[in-house]
Amino acid sequence: MRVPVVPMAHEYLVTQPLPGRAPAEHLPTLRDPDLLIYFREDGAGLVMGGYERHCAPWSLTADGAGFDAIPQDFNGRLLEEDWDRFEEIVDNSKIPRARDGGR
């Protein structure tokens, strides 16, 4: 049986290592379901992402191949950034440095 699958693009950012944090110190995963954002530990830094209200399918082809068009060795690759779609997530993060580009 074939189940229809639509691969979706997902936007997130990864921070530099957090200064002053001990390697054995683990951080909790934070999620705000109202603002559709999350923060989680990634190595010595954080990942900030969210669930886009305007999600974007990826790898859809005119012939409907979709899932079949994904290269077999795709796992772990990154897609091109889509900052316009990520803007709402950054704004919802309420982190001033994230909203002003780290300046």
Side-chain angles (χ1 to χ4, degrees):
M1 171 184 0
R2 288 184 56 93
V3 177
V5 174
V6 178
M8 303 299 285
H10 181 62
E11 302 294 321
Y12 62 92
L13 62 84
V14 180
T15 70
Q16 296 291 323
L18 300 174
R21 185 169 159 248
E25 180 184 358
H26 293 287
L27 300 172
T29 297
L30 304 172
R31 186 172 66 92
D32 185 330
D34 293 329
L35 295 175
L36 304 175
I37 60 170
Y38 65 85
F39 298 86
R40 67 174 172 79
E41 186 175 44
D42 185 75
L46 291 175
V47 168
M48 180 192 80
Y51 302 94
E52 299 92 348
R53 293 181 199 278
H54 306 288
C55 54
W58 178 77
S59 189
L60 287 182
T61 58
D63 63 1
F67 187 75
D68 297 325
I70 298 173
Q72 291 293 322
D73 64 347
F74 181 78
N75 193 26
R77 290 191 201 173
L78 296 176
L79 302 175
E80 293 294 320
E81 297 96 355
D82 185 346
W83 293 110
D84 290 337
R85 220 164 34 88
F86 195 55
E87 183 176 19
E88 178 183 16
I89 293 168
V90 172
D91 287 346
N92 286 343
S93 75
K94 298 182 181 181
I95 297 176
R97 290 190 63 122
R99 289 197 306 263
D100 69 10
R103 293 184 280 275

